[in-house]
Amino acid sequence: MKKLIVNADDFGRHELINRAVEQAFNFGCLKSTSLMAGGAAFDDAIKLAKKIPGLGVGIHFTLANGNPVLPPEEIPSLVTAEGFFHADYVTFLKKYFGGKISLVEVRSELAAQLEKILRAGLKLTHFDSHQHLHHIPGIIEIALDLAAMEKISAMRVADTKIFDGELDSLGKFIGRLGLSSLAKFAAHKAHKKNFSTPEHFTGIVAGESVNEKFLLKLIENLREGTTEVMLHPGTDNKILRDFCRWEHNFEEELAAVTSTKILGLLAEKNISVINFSELRSKS
């Protein structure tokens, strides 16, 4: 049987991302999202999630390119002098593999993020991470342990395909190859602990948006099992590009998942759109 999970990352980062999640759920094929505990629009996201009981909400563990939940002085290796996480995954990984990131602090911060969301009253369907850092050896073990303690039993495996999207630089090739290798390692760890994961993953990880054409081709050629599509939808490109400092086409992704062509093709192909709570374990 063919199933699809359409998941919006960065829920809680900005109210215009939250509005996009709401629209994509009400008028499109999005049934899942991942919440940033340190996001500026966290409280708004919590209110919205409680209004939409059919929306599956996971935790978007964050260790780079965002705001920590713990006071910066408690996690000095994870933050800059200004008290923010390091700028991006490249900066984080350089410090991590250089021995300058404390795993004790990683555990404390991720535990605090999880506690903040659970304290707000949400039941979480899955976990993943901002810029895919939960796949890293050392961090994956912490994330799995924390999730298991709270009976969160599903995880994203960002086993990206090297040729999804533009491949116009050596850096993109190496990045996708590296992420795919790390994702397979993380999946092995997760399955040993009886976590559920989708069989397939897509979503253009190098910055390009998932547009209607991309989704039409994906649905026409969807493989057996469950495929997760990662999205970053939003309602206003100018505001979100300035806020996130990311030249992403948020609006195009929202348009794609609310497209009547996409919804019609899903119905024609009898493809079930689900969230992570409906996955089965790999035991």
Side-chain angles (χ1 to χ4, degrees):
M1 189 173 181
K2 298 176 182 180
K3 298 180 181 180
L4 194 66
I5 295 175
V6 180
N7 189 88
D9 285 10
D10 296 356
F11 190 44
R13 192 176 191 183
H14 194 284
E15 287 192 7
L16 296 182
I17 294 173
N18 296 352
R19 299 286 78 73
V21 170
E22 182 178 24
Q23 290 180 35
F25 180 88
N26 288 333
F27 306 111
C29 59
L30 186 142
K31 305 297 179 189
S32 181
T33 190
S34 301
L35 176 60
M36 297 181 86
F42 175 83
D43 291 338
D44 178 73
I46 292 294
K47 291 177 184 177
L48 177 58
K50 289 180 177 179
K51 288 197 312 183
I52 311 177
L55 179 68
V57 180
I59 181 169
H60 201 47
F61 282 131
T62 304
L63 290 168
N65 185 234
N67 304 310
V69 168
L70 289 176
E73 59 270 19
E74 294 185 19
I75 47 169
S77 75
L78 304 184
V79 296
T80 64
E82 294 75 26
F84 303 112
F85 286 135
H86 300 298
D88 52 38
Y89 74 95
V90 174
T91 306
F92 179 90
L93 290 177
K94 285 180 180 178
K95 290 182 173 293
Y96 184 77
F97 290 115
K100 296 180 180 178
I101 295 290
S102 164
L103 283 175
V104 172
E105 293 174 18
V106 168
R107 174 179 281 274
S108 296
E109 173 60 26
L110 297 187
Q113 292 177 19
L114 184 54
E115 181 184 3
K116 181 179 178 180
I117 295 175
L118 296 175
R119 195 168 58 240
L122 290 189
K123 180 177 175 59
L124 296 174
T125 59
H126 68 283
F127 77 89
D128 53 43
S129 63
H130 194 49
Q131 302 189 355
H132 306 302
L133 289 175
H134 73 285
H135 295 86
I136 304 301
I139 296 176
I140 180 60
E141 290 84 358
I142 292 171
L144 288 169
D145 186 42
L146 293 173
M149 287 192 294
E150 299 298 342
K151 296 182 170 54
I152 301 166
S153 60
M155 181 189 86
R156 166 183 292 163
V157 175
D159 189 0
T160 184
K161 302 300 173 286
I162 293 174
F163 297 102
D164 274 356
E166 295 178 5
L167 195 62
D168 52 7
S169 71
L170 179 61
K172 284 185 181 180
F173 175 82
I174 293 172
R176 291 180 193 172
L177 183 62
L179 177 57
S180 179
S181 300
L182 289 170
K184 288 178 172 63
F185 169 81
H188 175 71
K189 290 279 187 178
H191 296 161
K192 283 183 68 175
K193 291 181 175 291
N194 204 32
F195 276 75
S196 303
T197 63
E199 286 86 357
H200 316 294
F201 173 84
T202 190
I204 304 171
V205 299
E208 307 100 309
S209 58
V210 172
N211 56 28
E212 183 185 72
K213 180 180 178 182
F214 182 95
L215 282 182
L216 288 171
K217 181 179 179 182
L218 172 71
I219 295 165
E220 285 284 5
N221 299 282
L222 201 65
R223 289 175 284 178
E224 289 295 323
T226 301
T227 299
E228 183 195 356
V229 181
M230 177 189 70
L231 298 169
H232 295 81
T235 61
D236 189 310
N237 278 343
K238 184 179 186 310
I239 292 174
L240 289 173
R241 285 170 175 170
D242 289 344
F243 181 83
C244 299
R245 298 182 181 180
W246 182 27
E247 288 299 312
H248 181 67
N249 198 334
F250 301 89
E251 293 177 30
E252 186 172 50
E253 294 202 327
L254 176 58
V257 295
T258 55
S259 160
T260 55
K261 287 184 181 180
I262 296 299
L263 298 177
L265 187 59
L266 287 168
E268 178 188 327
K269 297 287 187 181
N270 196 30
I271 294 168
S272 298
V273 181
I274 66 172
N275 65 47
F276 279 87
S277 68
E278 299 169 75
L279 287 178
R280 294 180 179 178
S281 71
K282 304 296 178 184
S283 60

